Amino acid sequence: MTDETVIEVDHLDAGYDAAPVLEDISFTVRRGEVFVILGGSGCGKSTLLKHMIGLNPPLGGLVRIMGDRISGGSQDERERAMRRFGVTYQSGALFGSMTLLENVCLPLDVFTDLPSDARYLVAEMKLDLVGLKSFASYFPSDISGGMKKRAAIARALALDPAILFLDEPSAGLDPVTSAELDRLILRLRDTQGITFVIVTHELASIFAVADRCLMLDKQTKRILAEGPPA
């Protein structure tokens, strides 16, 4: 972890149809850290994540990814910001009609001009990073829930992002599989230098991986606490 700021959330008001869920939220995320967003049900964890990745425009304030605004700036600025991160969703969101290799290839197909052989080679490398190279020809329906989560991480890594956003990565997993996923997150941070922003309520995972936590409060719509897990 370094002192370099890669994500800046500045006086963010987040919500839907002008109804705020979060108000005046400010924090930063440093390069190479595992930053966890936690709190009770309905406190706005997923809402904050959606605003940080640009799925929803803020009601006020702004989010910068490595200096570029994700919403409210120019289209070029938004595209630069979006190319710097990958996202995985709670369900994995893999395409059921595509093999794992094809799922991981999809971002490369859309956003690069690499020849097909090179795209498949990169996809195999990403699957290898998460321990799934031997399952490249399998479909999502053929693998376990934990493997789906790892395959989703491989796809999120396809374009070599500096930042990964993970939404409830341990949801629905047994303790052993969840611990394996925690170790994968730490290994990717240590070997690839990836910054992680994780939304979760799994205390065991939080204490296993987090460098710093942000706790949201449903009643005040603000940050209740920020600091190391302890």
Side-chain angles (χ1 to χ4, degrees):
M1 185 170 60
T2 71
D3 291 330
E4 180 187 354
T5 296
V6 293
I7 302 173
E8 178 187 3
V9 178
D10 188 14
H11 298 287
L12 179 72
D13 296 330
Y16 308 94
D17 298 326
V21 175
L22 297 167
E23 295 178 334
D24 198 27
I25 302 294
S26 295
F27 62 92
T28 60
V29 180
R30 297 189 290 269
R31 182 181 293 276
E33 82 174 324
V34 178
F35 187 88
V36 170
I37 300 169
L38 67 148
S41 297
C43 71
K45 300 187 298 294
S46 293
T47 296
L48 177 56
L49 182 71
K50 289 175 183 176
H51 283 73
M52 290 177 72
I53 64 176
L55 281 180
N56 296 91
L59 302 178
L62 56 88
V63 177
R64 289 190 179 95
I65 306 289
M66 299 176 72
D68 289 316
R69 291 181 62 164
I70 190 68
S71 296
S74 67
Q75 183 63 25
D76 286 345
E77 191 175 18
R78 176 180 169 84
E79 288 178 0
R80 282 197 306 270
M82 294 188 75
R83 286 295 294 269
R84 289 172 172 144
F85 64 81
V87 184
T88 72
Y89 299 96
Q90 184 172 336
S91 65
L94 298 172
F95 290 95
S97 61
M98 303 170 72
T99 65
L100 300 190
L101 186 67
E102 290 168 339
N103 266 281
V104 179
C105 267
L106 187 59
L108 299 163
D109 295 339
V110 175
F111 293 108
T112 76
D113 296 322
L114 292 171
S116 59
D117 288 351
R119 294 197 301 271
Y120 283 120
L121 179 60
V122 171
E124 285 181 351
M125 291 169 61
K126 302 307 179 185
L127 285 171
D128 193 31
L129 271 179
V130 301
L132 291 177
K133 184 177 181 180
S134 60
F135 294 88
S137 62
Y138 283 56
F139 289 89
S141 59
D142 300 328
I143 60 177
S144 68
M147 294 167 74
K148 289 176 185 176
K149 299 290 180 80
R150 285 190 278 149
I153 289 174
R155 185 176 61 185
L157 289 170
L159 298 175
D160 294 321
I163 304 162
L164 278 188
F165 291 91
L166 310 184
D167 188 12
E168 300 282 7
S170 299
L173 301 182
D174 63 82
V176 173
T177 305
S178 180
E180 290 174 351
L181 191 61
D182 291 340
R183 288 193 291 272
L184 173 62
I185 289 168
L186 293 176
R187 180 161 56 82
L188 291 173
R189 180 200 62 186
D190 295 341
T191 62
Q192 308 297 313
I194 296 168
T195 302
F196 283 89
V197 178
I198 304 173
V199 169
T200 184
H201 61 271
E202 301 285 347
L203 287 176
S205 290
I206 291 167
F207 280 97
V209 304
D211 295 306
R212 198 156 48 99
C213 301
L214 185 80
M215 179 175 281
L216 301 175
D217 180 58
K218 182 178 180 180
Q219 300 303 318
T220 63
K221 303 179 183 179
R222 294 174 186 267
I223 295 171
L224 182 64
E226 181 181 353

